């Protein structure tokens, strides 16, 4: 049990130790100092370097050359900085490690991507050997054997080969998933253009996929496109196909590109009769448009009689109209019917729809005609595919402008978020979800995310983007796997794997106990400490030398690590004047006092604290000791009173 001396003026110290500098004690040589703070940017840089073969070694060598410090000292300082990075800037370090993984593949541009599993393993072995060579350098620098260094290289090569092979397998699995992702994107694209259930229900799975692929290939459905932009693009393409079909001209009759005008006239006549029966000015104006539409259709059909192109057995009565004629009428009535996709004249829009239905019937009849030229057949197929797309987007555009478009999203939160501006864009919606998650509302965040998950256009763009990116990422996986495998071989030099656990971080952040190189358990390695410290000129250099030697031996020699732990668990008692630290578990009371601190009683009886003068450059330059001076009487009085109170408390406790 630790004793609290703060009430008599003692200085607070780290947990597990007591500070007796006020009594003249000297801090023990080897006492650790707090690790210097690091920056997020520095943590990212060190993380990136750690994922490169020989990266840490090159970093330490360059730093040592600049600062004129030994390599091993710089290597230890890098390890301390790494521990501080893990404790204080782990996200930045992980980001740097990710950058270190990507950098080699990006710099090579994927040119060295292996084609087979064997090539990936061979490439990985080379990368892993680079990491192993770094370990070998550290081993030899610390006085290790050549055999152990060779083993380090072999281990790195083996782990790198395994990592490269695993990366190649993952790359193959990722590439095999691309077709499925593309099909998903195509289906979502087809669902995102406002086509009704009748149109979608009549399509087979393959036709649905082909429809979605066409919409993405032609740039109708693309990331960030608004409904207006999609409608304008689809309508322009449809009109272009219509113009191509209309250029057939005089060959329309022999190719069968005509339709009976009776269904068109009957459709418009029924609307005309209904509108003309009313006196409402709007209905009367609509009736006028229906009448003009029928008249224009008849005019076009009569031209076919005069040219003798049409098959007209009943003489002067017009019966057929051609695709190019319907196209001309559509352009004319389209200008009157719509403005930016919105209906401005319902009657003109009805005439436009009747003309489109006539064109659709011509295409349905002629698309399988083997006598049609290939370009004309393709134009008809494109026109036929775009017909429901244009109608669907026009309907969606109108509902958006009228404000009655249902919000995307599931549940109350999803629908509320879906109605907010910009939530149809995945990036903005993701930020909204993350904000709710950060505020401590995970279920709200999930609900908000459904505004994207239930948006077919957004999901189509996301899926297609993933499908496009996977091949480029897959070709870099073998090299990245080799780096991860090679970096794993550097774990015994204090490196951190890209995916670290909480236990690793916690262990790295703990401060090691002070080292007693004179402990009997460390006797087999005392010669190593002495040899490495031979050039030390003062206590500071001695401490650094011992710390570096301890670091290297701890990483390389399991027997030393075990002995070191024994020296920490069973320390040798030392005198305060020699700079010792009294452990918490000190027992054995001094007769006549309740204190567990042996020697204080005799010191109080003879209050002259004698200690030898420090040898030059062997002890710290500043000290609180007063050599050959009477002990501070005020502090002695406080300590005596404290110990007597401890004695009374101990005597009062039941035995």
């Amino acid at each position: 049990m630790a004793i609290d001396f703060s009430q008599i003026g003692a200085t607070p110290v780290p947990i597990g130790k007591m500070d007796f500098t006020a009594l003249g004690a000297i801090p023990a040589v080897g006492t650790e100092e707090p690790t210097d703070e690091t920056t997020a940017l520095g943590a990212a840089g060190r993380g990136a370097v750690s994922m490169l073969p020989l990266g840490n070694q090159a970093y330490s060598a360059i730093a040592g050359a600049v600062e004129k410090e030994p390599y091993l000292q710089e290597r230890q300082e890098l390890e301390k900085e790494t521990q501080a990075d893990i404790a204080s800037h782990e996200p930045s370090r992980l980001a740097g490690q990710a950058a270190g993984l990507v950098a080699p593949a990006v710099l090579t541009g994927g040119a060295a991507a292996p084609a087979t599993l064997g090539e990936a393993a061979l490439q990985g072995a080379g990368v892993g050997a680079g990491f192993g060579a770094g370990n070998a350098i550290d081993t030899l620098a610390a006085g290790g054997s050549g055999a152990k260094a060779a083993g380090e290289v072999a281990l790195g090569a083996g782990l790198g080969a395994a990592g490269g092979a695993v990366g190649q397998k993952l790359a193959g699995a990722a590439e095999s998933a691309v077709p499925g992702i593309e099909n998903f994107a195509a289906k979502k694209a087809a669902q995102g253009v406002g086509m009704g259930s009748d149109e979608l229900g009549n399509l087979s799975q393959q036709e649905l996929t082909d429809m979605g692929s066409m919409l993405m290939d032609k740039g109708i459905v693309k990331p960030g496109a608004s409904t207006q932009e999609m409608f304008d693009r689809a309508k322009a393409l449809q009109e272009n196909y219509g113009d191509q079909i209309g250029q057939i001209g005089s060959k329309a009759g022999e190719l069968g590109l005509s339709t009976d005008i009776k269904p068109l006239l009957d459709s418009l006549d029924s609307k005309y009769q209904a509108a003309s029966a009313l006196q409402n000015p709007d209905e009367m104006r609509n009736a006028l448009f229906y009448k003009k539409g029928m008249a224009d259709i008849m005019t076009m059909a009569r031209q076919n009689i005069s040219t003798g192109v049409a098959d007209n057995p009943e003489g002067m009565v017009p019966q057929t109209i051609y695709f190019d004629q319907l196209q001309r009428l559509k352009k004319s009535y389209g200008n009157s019917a719509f403005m930016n996709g919105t209906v401005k004249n319902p009657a003109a829009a009805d005439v436009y729809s009747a003309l489109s239905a006539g064109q659709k019937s011509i295409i349905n009849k002629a698309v399988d005609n083997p006598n049609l030229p290939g370009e004309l057949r393709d134009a008809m197929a494109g026109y036929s595919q775009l017909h429901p797309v244009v109608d669907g987007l026009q309907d969606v555009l109108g509902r958006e402008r009228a404000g009655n478009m249902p919000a995307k999203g599931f549940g109350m939160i999803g629908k509320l978020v879906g109605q907010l501006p910009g939530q149809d864009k995945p990036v903005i919606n993701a930020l909204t979800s993350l904000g709710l998650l950060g505020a401590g509302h995970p279920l709200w965040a999930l609900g908000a995310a459904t505004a994207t998950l239930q948006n077919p256009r957004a999901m189509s763009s996301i899926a297609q983007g993933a499908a496009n990116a996977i091949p480029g990422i897959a070709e870099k996986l073998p090299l990245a796997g080799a780096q991860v495998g090679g970096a794993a071989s550097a774990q015994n030099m204090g490196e951190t794997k890209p995916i670290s656990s909480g236990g690793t971080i916690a262990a790295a952040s703990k401060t090691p106990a002070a080292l007693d190189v004179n402990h009997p358990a460390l006797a087999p390695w005392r010669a190593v400490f002495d040899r490495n410290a031979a050039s030390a000129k003062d206590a500071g250099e001695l401490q650094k030398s011992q710390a570096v030697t301890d670091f290297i031996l701890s990483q390389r020699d399991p027997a030393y690590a075990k002995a070191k732990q024994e020296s920490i668990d069973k320390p040798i008692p030392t005198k305060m004047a020699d700079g010792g630290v009294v452990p918490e578990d000190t027992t054995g009371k001094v007769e006549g006092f309740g204190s567990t601190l042996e020697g204080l009683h005799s010191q109080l009886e003879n209050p002259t604290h004698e200690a030898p003068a420090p040898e030059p450059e062997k002890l710290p330059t500043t000290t609180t000791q007063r050599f050959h001076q009477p002990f501070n009487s005020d502090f002695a009085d406080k300590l005596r009173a404290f110990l007597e109170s401890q004695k009374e408390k101990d005597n009062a406790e039941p035995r």
Side-chain angles (χ1 to χ4, degrees), residues 49-75:
V49 167
S50 70
M51 299 310 297
L52 301 176
L54 295 171
N56 285 331
Q57 288 72 28
Y59 182 101
S60 300
I62 294 173
V66 172
E67 299 177 4
K68 298 181 180 180
E69 296 287 352
Y71 169 80
L72 287 180
Q73 180 176 331
E74 288 295 338
R75 192 70 179 85

Side-chain angles (χ1 to χ4, degrees), residues 5 88 119 122 141 321 456 477 481 495 539 589:
F5 287 94
S88 304
E119 292 178 1
L122 184 61
I321 189 169
L477 287 178
E495 296 298 320
K589 298 182 179 181

Side-chain angles (χ1 to χ4, degrees), residues 16 99 176 196 209 235 279 326 341 365 384 403 535 559 583 589 605 624 639:
S176 65
T209 301
K235 187 170 177 58
Q279 298 300 314
L326 292 172
K365 182 176 62 174
S384 179
S535 60
K589 298 182 179 181
E605 291 296 325
T624 57
L639 183 57

Side-chain angles (χ1 to χ4, degrees), residues 191-197 199 227-228 230-232 234-235 338-343 349 352-353 386-406 408 457:
Q191 295 170 6
V193 292
M195 293 173 62
S197 57
E199 289 86 356
T227 304
Q228 181 69 63
M230 295 168 65
F231 173 78
D232 292 342
K235 187 170 177 58
F338 309 109
M339 177 177 290
N340 294 328
T342 303
V343 175
Y352 183 92
S353 297
L386 287 174
H387 187 273
V389 174
V390 172
D391 289 347
L393 286 172
Q394 185 173 340
D395 177 64
V396 173
L397 188 60
R399 284 188 289 160
E400 285 181 354
R401 290 179 176 175
N404 58 5
M405 188 72 180
K408 302 291 190 301
R457 296 183 203 168

Side-chain angles (χ1 to χ4, degrees), residues 61-94:
I62 294 173
V66 172
E67 299 177 4
K68 298 181 180 180
E69 296 287 352
Y71 169 80
L72 287 180
Q73 180 176 331
E74 288 295 338
R75 192 70 179 85
Q76 186 209 16
E77 290 180 1
L78 175 59
E79 169 61 15
K80 289 183 177 180
E81 291 172 348
T82 298
Q83 292 175 355
D85 293 340
I86 294 172
S88 304
H89 305 289
E90 185 183 13
S92 298
R93 176 172 170 79
L94 292 176

